[in-house]
Amino acid sequence: MELRVEIFARIRRDARVQGWSIRRLARVHRVSRRTVRQALAAAEPPPRRVPARSAPKLDRFRAVIDQMLIADLDAPRKQRHTAQRVFDRLVEEHQAVISYSTVRQYVKVRRAEIAFEAGKAPIEVFVPQEHAPGAEAEVDFGDVWVDLAGVRTRCYMFAFRMSHSGKSVHRVYPTCGQEAFLEGHIEAFETLGGVPAKHIRYDNLTSAVTKVIYGAGRQRVENERWVLFRSHYGFDSFYCEPGMKGAHEKGGVEGEVGRFRRNFLTPVPVVDSLVELNAKLRGWDEGEDQRRISHRLRTVGQDFALEAPLLAPLSAESFDPGLALTPRVDRSSLVTVRSAKYSVPVRFINRKVRVSLRATEIRIFDGRTLIATHPRTVARGGQCVQLDHYLEVLRIKPGALPGSTALAQARESGVFTPAHDAFWAAARRTDGDTAATRELIEVLLLHRSMEACDVIDGITAALLVGAVSSDVVAVEARRVAFERNAGWIRPDYHPGAKAEVVEHRVVSLTQRRLADPAAVIAGLPPDKRPLPSVAGYDELLRLRPQPSPPPSPKEQIS
């Protein structure tokens, strides 16, 4: 079209400026006289005529194909004719000599026309909508893959989007169960600082809906715990039409899941835990405040600033999103929750405990007392064991510590540090395996009442002077904690002191096992005092009254 416009322009210019005849214009511009006359008549070239393609071999089969497509209107969706099936039937039943492409093109056009004529597939028209500030929100889940601690794991991203501003909150959980569904809402409400005043739009997901009542509009039978959650936070739910028909009713969050996954979770994120990933998601969500959605004049953050004051206030009381379970503690001091095992203190063996199963963690209670907290284990059949839960029994069975699962997981998580290993090794050299292990357990018990960093500093100080005693570790740990909390600076410290000079504050004379009295103990100055003497006590002996001698036999007779 563009080339024809240029030719027409040159023809009209030469005719106007040069005054050439139609024959000469046709010869110079190498076009027909008819084209020259068209150019002189109008500056815009006439549209090209597209010849109508005819399919003479198809004509006698059009009625047959139409009958197949009409029968499909009442057939099950998965048992309707495809273009390939229509072609095969024409060849088998009518010995048609015709190309597949011709049949496919005809079926594509006629299927839509027949459905429209029967009123089975009316043209769907989308009406633009306006969402009042602070009134509505949309929620959805989307699949994401995460390289979690070196293992590619399928997780689920919870997305909460305000309909007016587009402000969104995203969190990734190992499950899309009800506990993740509720926890995601709580995170979103706390992040936004309020609750949508009108309603929140949802799919008919099983975390909220127990039963879809067909033929009754949008009426649903809701999950009892979900009803309790909605009542607690004071908002209503709006359920979309089942299946693909209702996807457009919350199109904002449907597109948000894909957009966020493409922009922030591609390539596959590599993290050690979902806590680390969700911390990154919080930062990305804050950065999204500067984004401008399509044709809007203001950014997401500017629009949300207008609707934030219009949100309904949060409830003053907290809501536990965890699923309540009551397993029994087995002989290994473990409880089984969703095919995974978690440890509790050994004093609860053979007792029932209450478990709050959350999306990312497990909380275990004895009555109302929290007795254990674990990160939720994603692997089926996995174990999450804390060494602290077994210390009382390890006092009695110290030989069970070296090969225990609790010790292996404590080393892997960094709770059992190289300082603990060094203390254990030093104690075994002097006290033997059994006594050394019991001494180590006493040190580990210090972690219940003191900060881990203080205990490790205490271990380091004890090892520097060769003292492998839990009492020495406790004394040094308390000293370090006291000085840190009080902000003290030692009087013998000055800024020019070398960092590598170590002050030995504690010396164990017993464990040094001095063989030579003249040996100099590391860290102590030479003792120049005279040896102690008991001469003063000898002087006191002379002042003691002497006992009178016993009477003789003669004196006794007289």
Side-chain angles (χ1 to χ4, degrees):
M1 180 68 178
E2 183 178 354
L3 181 61
R4 296 185 67 201
V5 170
E6 294 178 357
I7 294 175
F8 271 42
R10 289 198 297 268
I11 291 174
R12 290 171 65 87
R13 180 180 179 281
D14 290 343
R16 183 179 65 254
V17 176
Q18 303 294 339
W20 291 346
S21 65
I22 293 177
R23 178 179 293 181
R24 186 171 182 180
L25 288 170
R27 185 174 65 253
V28 171
H29 295 285
R30 296 183 180 182
V31 295
S32 65
R33 297 180 188 179
R34 179 172 175 271
T35 302
V36 172
R37 291 188 179 94
Q38 288 178 346
L40 297 178
E44 182 178 1
R48 292 185 181 273
R49 293 182 181 179
V50 179
R53 295 184 179 182
S54 60
K57 294 184 179 181
L58 181 67
D59 290 341
R60 67 190 187 96
F61 301 111
R62 293 179 189 270
V64 177
I65 297 175
D66 288 352
Q67 289 298 322
M68 296 181 190
L69 298 180
I70 292 172
D72 281 348
L73 294 175
D74 298 322
R77 183 176 62 87
K78 293 185 178 181
Q79 291 178 257
R80 297 173 185 173
H81 286 83
T82 62
Q84 181 66 49
R85 180 56 182 158
V86 171
F87 174 75
D88 292 342
R89 286 190 62 185
L90 291 177
V91 174
E92 294 173 4
E93 300 175 9
H94 301 277
Q95 291 75 43
V97 181
I98 192 172
S99 68
Y100 168 71
S101 60
T102 301
V103 175
R104 181 186 60 191
Q105 185 65 28
Y106 181 78
V107 169
K108 179 181 179 181
V109 175
R110 282 297 290 161
R111 190 193 299 277
E113 292 176 350
I114 289 173
F116 181 77
E117 292 170 359
K120 294 293 184 72
I123 298 176
E124 190 170 4
V125 179
F126 297 100
V127 180
Q129 300 289 307
E130 288 290 333
H131 303 284
E136 301 179 43
E138 303 167 2
V139 166
D140 200 8
F141 269 107
D143 296 354
V144 295
W145 289 91
V146 180
D147 285 340
L148 190 60
V151 180
R152 181 150 296 185
T153 307
R154 182 183 185 182
C155 299
Y156 302 89
M157 182 175 68
F158 174 89
F160 185 103
R161 182 181 185 273
M162 294 299 299
S163 301
H164 174 75
S165 63
K167 172 71 173 178
S168 300
V169 178
H170 307 83
R171 296 292 183 270
V172 175
Y173 299 109
T175 175
C176 60
Q178 190 182 61
E179 58 272 18
F181 185 62
L182 300 184
E183 191 169 327
H185 278 80
I186 295 174
E187 285 270 351
F189 294 158
E190 292 178 351
T191 300
L192 300 176
V195 181
K198 186 179 179 182
H199 60 230
I200 303 177
R201 295 175 181 263
Y202 301 97
D203 286 331
N204 299 280
L205 64 175
T206 55
S207 297
V209 176
T210 303
K211 183 179 181 181
V212 177
I213 303 177
Y214 291 94
R218 300 185 185 274
Q219 188 175 352
R220 306 288 188 268
V221 177
E222 294 182 309
N223 183 285
E224 182 178 348
R225 185 163 177 79
W226 171 240
V227 174
L228 177 63
F229 181 83
R230 288 199 302 102
S231 176
H232 180 85
Y233 282 99
F235 67 92
D236 293 328
S237 55
F238 179 94
Y239 296 105
C240 301
E241 289 290 330
M244 294 300 296
K245 293 182 179 180
H248 68 279
E249 295 183 339
K250 58 179 186 64
V253 75
E254 292 279 356
E256 175 64 24
V257 170
R259 184 197 67 83
F260 193 88
R261 184 168 46 201
R262 289 189 298 272
N263 290 305
F264 296 100
L265 298 176
T266 303
V268 175
V270 180
V271 293
D272 292 329
S273 66
L274 292 182
V275 175
E276 178 186 347
L277 178 59
N278 283 325
K280 293 183 179 181
L281 261 62
R282 290 184 181 91
W284 294 335
D285 285 343
E286 292 177 1
E288 287 282 277
D289 287 347
Q290 307 303 319
R291 183 171 65 96
R292 196 183 306 276
I293 299 176
S294 63
H295 60 278
R296 297 187 183 183
L297 299 178
R298 293 183 295 271
T299 63
V300 170
Q302 291 171 341
D303 279 339
F304 180 70
L306 298 177
E307 71 173 343
L310 303 176
L311 295 172
L314 290 171
S315 173
E317 298 180 359
S318 61
F319 187 93
D320 183 5
L323 176 64
L325 303 170
T326 55
R328 184 178 293 276
V329 183
D330 63 18
R331 293 180 60 185
S332 298
S333 195
L334 300 171
V335 294
T336 303
V337 180
R338 295 284 177 87
S339 301
K341 294 182 179 294
Y342 304 90
S343 67
V344 299
V346 293
R347 65 181 182 274
F348 296 102
I349 289 178
N350 291 329
R351 289 173 55 181
K352 280 193 173 184
V353 293
R354 181 171 62 88
V355 172
S356 176
L357 175 63
R358 298 193 173 192
T360 56
E361 68 176 1
I362 302 291
R363 293 187 177 184
I364 306 175
F365 296 85
D366 177 39
R368 294 188 177 182
T369 304
L370 180 66
I371 60 175
T373 302
H374 296 275
R376 182 166 178 173
T377 301
V378 179
R380 185 179 182 86
Q383 286 188 356
C384 190
V385 182
Q386 292 183 12
L387 179 58
D388 180 73
H389 294 162
Y390 296 88
L391 295 181
E392 285 82 3
V393 73
L394 289 174
R395 272 176 170 172
I396 305 170
K397 299 180 177 180
L401 177 61
S404 63
T405 304
L407 178 60
Q409 292 194 7
R411 279 200 176 103
E412 184 179 352
S413 64
V415 173
F416 195 87
T417 64
H420 294 90
D421 267 321
F423 180 91
W424 197 8
R428 278 186 290 200
R429 285 194 297 268
T430 59
D431 301 333
D433 289 343
T434 302
T437 303
R438 287 197 172 101
E439 204 68 37
L440 173 67
I441 292 170
E442 295 297 329
V443 172
L444 293 173
L445 286 169
L446 294 175
H447 285 277
R448 295 183 179 179
S449 57
M450 307 181 71
E451 296 291 336
C453 59
D454 295 336
V455 176
I456 293 173
D457 288 343
I459 294 173
T460 304
L463 291 176
L464 287 174
V465 297
V468 283
S469 169
S470 59
D471 294 335
V472 174
V473 173
V475 169
E476 279 297 287
R478 291 190 182 97
R479 179 186 63 82
V480 172
F482 182 78
E483 290 184 357
R484 181 181 292 113
N485 294 334
W488 283 9
I489 299 177
R490 297 191 304 271
D492 58 343
Y493 171 81
H494 63 89
K498 294 183 179 180
E500 61 269 15
V501 177
V502 180
E503 179 188 9
H504 300 283
R505 300 295 300 274
V506 177
V507 175
S508 174
L509 300 180
T510 302
Q511 295 191 8
R512 294 294 294 181
R513 298 177 185 243
L514 299 177
D516 182 6
V520 178
I521 301 173
L524 291 180
D527 192 356
K528 298 180 180 180
R529 295 175 298 175
L531 291 175
S533 173
V534 295
Y537 292 96
D538 292 338
E539 292 292 333
L540 295 174
L541 292 177
R542 294 200 298 265
L543 301 178
R544 188 173 64 176
Q546 297 295 328
S548 59
S552 62
K554 293 182 178 181
E555 292 176 348
Q556 291 180 358
I557 295 173
S558 61

